[in-house]
Amino acid sequence: MTIKRTDGHDSFSEESHCCCSFPSCLECRDGLSKQPLHDQDKEITQHTWKRGGNRSLITLHRGVFLLAVIGAGCLVASYGIFAFSPIDIIISQRMRIQKGSTLYNLWEKPPVDVYIKVFVFNITNADEFLSGKEKLRVQEVGPYFYREILENTNVTFNPNNTISYVPKRSVMAVPDMSPRNAHTDRIIVPNVALLGMASMLHNSSAFLNVGLATLARYVDAQPLLNLSVHEYLWGYDDPLVRLASTFLPSWISFPRLGLMDRMFDEGENLVTMRLDNSAVNKSDAFTRQHKIYSIDSFNGKPSLRQWEDGTSCSSLQGVSEGVLYPRHMTQNDTFLIYRKAFCRVIPVVFSHSGVTESGFPAYWFRLPNNVFDSPDKNPENSCYCHPKVAPCLLSGLADITPCYYSIPVALSFPHFLHGDPRLVDMMDGLSPDPSKHDSFIMLQPNLGLPMAVSTRMQLNLVVHNTRHNPRVAIFNNYTLPIFWLDWYFEIPGVVTRLFYMVLLVAPALQTAAIVLFALLGVAMLGLAACSCSKKNTTVATKIISKSQHLLEKNAGEQLLSRTQQRPRLSRRR
């Protein structure tokens, strides 16, 4: 089949190749047969240019749009990381008291090694002092090392967003760390049973005082004892204690007397702690310190039984055990800590900030110098003093008699640091030194975890003005230092790695991500803007014009080739 041209030229064969914009080759041939050759050439050229040019423009616009979208997405991601801090969200989840969290595991059974250094005061001139020839002279002996192990047991999460548990502490000797042997070292020390009972009865009737003096002569109780350090700290046989435990078991329930044994025998206490940290405003220091991880009740009561109810001395509002602290601390924070061995609430105030040797930011807190001052110097301690029962103690002494079987004992800083000068002047051998005897707590303010602790306390026997007991009369109005302790702990490797990841590595990675996304976003938006600029549009136009020229040249060559082939096809037919 052939198609006749109107201009007299040879017709195309049915097999001629068609490349126009008509729906079919037949329509293409019909259209071409009705127009001159140069019109066919023009239409083919225009169609080819239009198709190629449109595709180039669409590709260009799509690329610009994609760059802009990716760039905007990078900027949004950068701002999102900066505003919402994913690392802080993760830390907040892991640093909450809930089953399986990091903080719960650290709190339930702390992996830190808590050590106790014990220094005992040895009387070096017993005979001279008892004969009244010399002033009492003491010598510090030690240290002897022990390790304290804490485990919070019987944990129960309550519906009111509190947690109840029973803390259990045990103490074991660490002879490998001790430079001295507590079993072989012998010391001359006050007879706490005799002097303590006589001091306890100082305001009682003459009948009771004479009866105690008679009993002391009967069992030959001496005011000073020669014991090993281990016996003095952890238990020795004393006839007065044995008699008291036999006839007055409700008062003295133990047959052997050991000072550290009594101090660390805290019994089984049910503690309920508040967990409502999610509802606390981080900027409200008062609310934070009075809610987060504070004691809701101790043995079922919201106050301490040993002190007069309704006073600041018995209140547990805002008081914690000193194991957990709120996150995001400020330098205005003050913490209140209670431990049964201390028998009272102790405030901890901010001292200074700094960076640890490992590069971690930290806050240092300390006990105020006036924490054990007498009521005339520190009125907050007035509820600890009951003049009708016993004289108020000198500044530097904290009366903890109600917690120790009514035996007059007192807490102080070691060597009576920050105390009344008369306490040191009464005897030789004491040398208070803030660098050795002050207490501090180093906390990580962002996480609320202790990084280092050194709590130094001294236990003292207070001998009031006794009566009708010549064996103890020479000790009247003395405050005798018994021993002092230094609680401290070392951060284990697992906690150090946690600090390193959370405080150094994670923030650096998050900052790098913020900067990287921001730079990528700016770069891509800049590239998209440059692609849409006038200069680049001109360049694109030149490229398209060049493409059009090439397409026209190619189309002309195709038409010329077909024109040359038509006469040959006609002659063959």
Side-chain angles (χ1 to χ4, degrees):
M1 175 181 177
T2 58
I3 300 176
K4 296 294 183 180
R5 294 285 302 270
T6 57
D7 56 358
H9 289 82
D10 294 336
S11 62
F12 290 127
S13 67
E14 187 173 339
E15 292 80 7
S16 297
H17 197 71
C18 182
C19 57
C20 60
S21 60
F22 292 93
S24 66
C25 287
L26 290 176
E27 294 180 9
C28 176
R29 288 195 290 269
D30 291 341
L32 290 175
S33 63
K34 297 178 183 178
Q35 52 184 312
L37 181 61
H38 67 277
D39 291 335
Q40 300 174 28
D41 184 12
K42 181 178 180 180
E43 183 167 329
I44 293 174
T45 303
Q46 288 179 348
H47 172 72
T48 305
W49 170 81
K50 185 183 294 185
R51 183 172 58 184
N54 288 342
R55 288 179 179 176
S56 300
L57 288 175
I58 291 173
T59 302
L60 178 63
H61 292 161
R62 286 180 178 175
V64 171
F65 179 74
L66 185 60
L67 283 175
V69 170
I70 296 176
C74 288
L75 288 180
V76 171
S78 176
Y79 178 77
I81 296 174
F82 173 77
F84 297 100
S85 184
I87 290 179
D88 193 57
I89 295 175
I90 295 173
I91 293 174
S92 297
Q93 290 296 321
R94 301 302 301 173
M95 299 302 291
R96 297 181 63 182
I97 295 293
Q98 56 188 9
K99 283 285 187 179
S101 69
T102 302
L103 185 60
Y104 179 86
N105 295 331
L106 292 175
W107 166 82
E108 184 183 29
K109 194 172 183 179
V112 297
D113 294 326
V114 179
Y115 294 103
I116 306 172
K117 288 194 296 186
V118 182
F119 298 87
V120 183
F121 289 98
N122 175 42
I123 297 176
T124 59
N125 63 338
D127 294 336
E128 292 80 1
F129 172 74
L130 292 176
S131 62
K133 296 179 181 179
E134 294 181 1
K135 185 168 62 172
L136 186 66
R137 185 167 62 247
V138 296
Q139 175 192 19
E140 180 183 284
V141 180
Y144 304 93
F145 282 79
Y146 299 88
R147 183 185 175 192
E148 183 184 65
I149 302 173
L150 169 64
E151 183 177 1
N152 293 307
T153 63
N154 300 337
V155 180
T156 303
F157 286 87
N158 304 313
N160 62 344
N161 208 16
T162 62
I163 184 174
S164 299
Y165 56 95
V166 176
K168 291 188 176 180
R169 291 180 170 89
S170 58
V171 179
M172 56 185 299
V174 188
D176 294 340
M177 297 179 62
S178 303
R180 306 178 65 96
N181 192 325
H183 292 271
T184 58
D185 287 351
R186 303 197 68 84
I187 51 178
I188 306 297
V189 291
N191 187 338
V192 175
L194 175 61
L195 297 178
M197 291 180 183
S199 181
M200 180 182 65
L201 298 175
H202 80 284
N203 208 21
S204 299
S205 64
F207 173 77
L208 290 178
N209 281 275
V210 171
L212 177 62
T214 303
L215 183 61
R217 286 196 302 270
Y218 176 76
V219 299
D220 194 23
Q222 298 297 322
L224 297 178
L225 301 175
N226 186 326
L227 301 170
S228 70
V229 172
H230 179 77
E231 289 175 330
Y232 195 48
L233 296 179
W234 297 105
Y236 63 94
D237 289 322
D238 185 274
L240 292 177
V241 174
R242 187 168 58 253
L243 288 172
S245 63
T246 302
F247 296 102
L248 298 171
S250 60
W251 173 43
I252 301 296
S253 58
F254 45 91
R256 292 165 56 88
L257 177 61
L259 299 181
M260 282 189 64
D261 180 62
R262 294 297 90 212
M263 190 174 190
F264 286 90
D265 182 20
E266 298 184 355
E268 190 169 285
N269 304 291
L270 178 63
V271 182
T272 301
M273 181 175 64
R274 299 178 183 178
L275 297 177
D276 50 351
N277 53 330
S278 59
V280 176
N281 183 358
K282 292 180 181 180
S283 63
D284 189 348
F286 178 84
T287 302
R288 182 171 62 255
Q289 76 179 44
H290 282 76
K291 283 195 172 183
I292 300 178
Y293 307 137
S294 64
I295 298 174
D296 186 70
S297 65
F298 193 86
N299 289 327
K301 292 193 63 176
S303 58
L304 299 175
R305 299 178 181 179
Q306 61 265 29
W307 305 109
E308 184 179 353
D309 197 14
T311 64
S312 60
C313 295
S314 65
S315 175
L316 286 174
Q317 184 180 10
V319 179
S320 70
E321 289 189 294
V323 178
L324 297 177
Y325 296 85
R327 296 183 58 207
H328 307 293
M329 297 179 186
T330 68
Q331 298 182 4
N332 296 323
D333 284 337
T334 297
F335 302 107
L336 302 174
I337 298 174
Y338 172 74
R339 180 165 173 177
K340 194 172 182 181
F342 297 160
C343 192
R344 58 183 287 163
V345 174
I346 297 177
V348 179
V349 299
F350 177 81
S351 174
H352 64 280
S353 61
V355 179
T356 66
E357 296 180 357
S358 302
F360 305 134
Y363 282 175
W364 276 260
F365 289 80
R366 60 186 298 272
L367 274 63
N369 293 346
N370 66 343
V371 65
F372 299 140
D373 276 359
S374 57
D376 58 328
K377 294 183 178 181
N378 186 357
E380 293 182 0
N381 290 335
S382 58
C383 49
Y384 291 116
C385 177
H386 301 282
K388 294 182 180 180
V389 178
C392 293
L393 304 181
L394 296 175
S395 286
L397 298 176
D399 192 356
I400 57 174
T401 300
C403 295
Y404 290 92
Y405 316 99
S406 299
I407 300 295
V409 291
L411 276 183
S412 71
F413 290 114
H415 289 245
F416 301 118
L417 177 69
H418 307 310
D420 192 303
R422 287 175 288 180
L423 295 170
V424 178
D425 294 340
M426 291 181 69
M427 62 196 74
D428 294 330
L430 298 177
S431 54
D433 183 352
S435 63
K436 296 179 181 179
H437 305 139
D438 246 335
S439 299
F440 72 89
I441 301 176
M442 184 172 66
L443 302 174
Q444 211 300 305
N446 297 328
L447 301 178
L449 292 177
M451 304 177 70
V453 174
S454 184
T455 304
R456 295 155 179 165
M457 292 289 173
Q458 180 172 298
L459 186 69
N460 310 279
L461 177 63
V462 179
V463 183
H464 296 301
N465 190 20
T466 62
R467 297 181 299 161
H468 311 297
N469 199 331
R471 293 196 175 206
V472 301
I474 195 170
F475 292 94
N476 285 350
N477 301 317
Y478 259 85
T479 299
L480 302 173
I482 304 299
F483 60 81
W484 70 273
L485 313 173
D486 181 5
W487 277 275
Y488 73 97
F489 71 77
E490 299 175 355
I491 300 179
V494 61
V495 180
T496 302
R497 289 191 293 271
L498 174 64
F499 282 143
Y500 182 77
M501 291 297 299
V502 172
L503 300 177
L504 300 180
V505 176
L509 292 177
Q510 180 168 282
T511 302
I514 293 173
V515 174
L516 179 61
F517 278 116
L519 292 178
L520 285 175
V522 172
M524 289 185 176
L525 287 177
L527 184 60
C530 290
S531 299
C532 293
S533 66
K534 181 177 180 181
K535 178 180 178 181
N536 286 277
T537 302
T538 302
V539 173
T541 303
K542 290 181 178 180
I543 293 173
I544 293 173
S545 298
K546 183 66 175 178
S547 299
Q548 176 184 354
H549 175 71
L550 294 174
L551 289 171
E552 289 177 350
K553 183 178 179 181
N554 184 48
E557 291 177 353
Q558 292 178 2
L559 288 173
L560 179 60
S561 176
R562 286 199 291 265
T563 304
Q564 292 174 352
Q565 290 177 358
R566 287 183 196 127
R568 299 176 185 174
L569 293 173
S570 298
R571 285 194 293 270
R572 289 178 182 176
R573 291 190 177 88

